[in-house]
Amino acid sequence: MKILVTGAAGFIGAAVSQYLINRGDQVVGIDNINDYYDVNLKHARLDEIKSSTAADLFSFIEMGVEERDKMAALFEEHKFDRVVHLAAQAGVRYSLENPNAYVDSNIVGFVNILEGCRHNKVEHLVYASSSSVYGANEAMPFTETERADTQLTIYAATKKANESMAHSYAHLWDLPTTMFRFFTVYGPWGRPDLAYYKFVDAILDGRPIDIYNHGDMYRDFTYVDDIVDGIEKCLRKNFKNKIFNLGNHRSESLMNMVALIEEGLGKKAKINFMDMQPGDVQKTHAGIKYSRQKLNYNPKTNIKDGIPKFLEWFKYYKKNYS
């Protein structure tokens, strides 16, 4: 298959691109390489793909999904079989500071993706939503059948808007679409703005880490390989309009993650306990019964195994790329 992967220099996008070319698919990756976080990490991810044994199946174009004319030309030229849309302005907290960036990338950009798929008969569009769309919901675990109308950040609101837009295109133009609500993805090549990455970097450097809600925080930490597995299994199918949770189905204490990092590094953290931040939630927990039934999705990596893998990669990256 010929597959477009947007956000190919990103954490999940690079992992998906590598997986797909390894299995023999032709991948065209795009990314605007913005400076929301260190662009050197983004280029390093691409370098890893380009140096792999299946690199001849991967091509990369630096461009943003919000660039309407370029996106239309890209779809027209390549006639993709499938699209994996992972490009977005990331970061829940940054959306409080710069909402326009989220509208440009997550709303305008998504319309361009939908239009490209519609006019070029793409067989299946799969794309990233987020567990943040559950917002103020309190019933645990979060399930796809719950109403999700109480988003707490601009980022979450744009993701919920994407789901509604995709539903409309599926209804009006029979476009097969599948949306994934990802739960706190972590692992090698992860984003440096995420908590676990910042914790490791700060602890090694002797700096204190900030822990919000005075440590009373729980997240469904999901290892990146399990996310890739869920996406790949979905690409084999042609759902018309489905939503799936991709999580680990475990709500883990943030303090437990900190303890695992301390153990792996052999160094204690200096901790600043702080109040809850605006837009944050105290707990997430993925209900994955539907994903198990329809996708045969079965997450395999818990944080006791995943955190050591991240620490091993972190040391490799700092040695070879810093």
Side-chain angles (χ1 to χ4, degrees), residues 26 67 75 110 115 117 137 153 167 171 208 222 248 276:
Q26 183 180 355
E67 299 179 78
F75 273 91
F110 192 60
E115 283 290 280
C117 291
N137 288 20
T153 65
H167 179 84
H171 172 71
T222 313
N248 203 41
M276 182 78 87

Side-chain angles (χ1 to χ4, degrees), residues 30-64:
I30 68 169
D31 199 296
N32 65 359
I33 316 287
N34 70 31
D35 61 359
Y36 169 66
Y37 62 82
D38 185 9
V39 299
N40 293 318
L41 175 56
K42 299 179 181 185
H43 286 298
R45 294 180 184 128
L46 292 173
D47 289 343
E48 289 288 311
I49 298 172
K50 293 173 182 177
S51 65
S52 67
T53 56
D56 59 324
L57 291 173
F58 179 76
S59 59
F60 178 75
I61 303 168
E62 185 171 339
M63 62 183 292

Side-chain angles (χ1 to χ4, degrees), residues 146-251:
E146 291 179 47
R147 292 182 65 88
D149 300 323
T150 55
Q151 288 75 50
L152 299 178
T153 65
I154 299 299
Y155 169 75
T158 63
K159 288 299 186 180
K160 187 61 168 65
N162 289 169
E163 295 182 0
S164 297
M165 294 156 70
H167 179 84
S168 297
Y169 271 72
H171 172 71
L172 292 170
W173 292 292
D174 202 31
L175 174 65
T177 62
T178 302
M179 59 205 81
F180 292 116
R181 292 172 176 171
F182 296 153
F183 282 72
T184 315
V185 188
Y186 75 102
W189 297 101
R191 283 172 25 209
D193 62 311
L194 296 177
Y196 70 97
Y197 194 116
K198 291 194 291 187
F199 292 167
V200 173
D201 196 44
I203 292 169
L204 286 175
D205 198 40
R207 292 178 282 110
I209 62 174
D210 296 334
I211 301 289
Y212 294 97
N213 203 34
H214 301 276
D216 187 21
M217 301 286 281
Y218 297 82
R219 289 291 182 269
D220 197 319
F221 296 109
T222 313
Y223 193 68
V224 63
D225 288 0
D226 290 325
I227 294 291
V228 173
D229 180 63
I231 293 172
E232 188 275 333
K233 285 177 176 175
C234 185
L235 277 174
R236 302 176 192 171
K237 304 177 184 292
N238 277 0
F239 297 112
K240 182 175 180 181
N241 186 37
K242 297 292 184 183
I243 300 174
F244 293 105
N245 285 340
L246 292 187
N248 203 41
H249 195 48
R250 293 181 177 89
S251 192

Side-chain angles (χ1 to χ4, degrees), residues 66-134:
E66 67 275 14
E67 299 179 78
R68 184 171 65 181
D69 292 343
K70 288 184 179 180
M71 289 299 297
L74 180 76
F75 273 91
E76 178 65 28
E77 177 186 353
H78 288 280
K79 301 297 183 185
F80 301 108
D81 299 305
R82 308 286 168 98
V83 173
V84 182
H85 177 50
L86 301 170
Q89 177 56 58
V92 172
R93 293 175 183 130
Y94 183 60
S95 69
L96 306 179
E97 303 171 23
N98 190 4
N100 288 333
Y102 292 77
V103 173
D104 293 343
S105 181
N106 301 5
I107 301 295
V108 175
F110 192 60
V111 172
N112 292 338
I113 291 291
L114 289 169
E115 283 290 280
C117 291
R118 173 168 80 99
H119 290 296
N120 294 278
K121 308 301 181 184
V122 168
E123 296 171 7
H124 193 185
L125 165 64
V126 304
Y127 68 96
S129 185
S130 168
S131 62
S132 65
V133 301
Y134 289 109

Side-chain angles (χ1 to χ4, degrees), residues 8 10-20 45 49 188-189 224-225 228:
F11 174 29
I12 300 173
V16 169
S17 297
Q18 185 69 70
Y19 186 96
L20 292 176
R45 294 180 184 128
I49 298 172
W189 297 101
V224 63
D225 288 0
V228 173

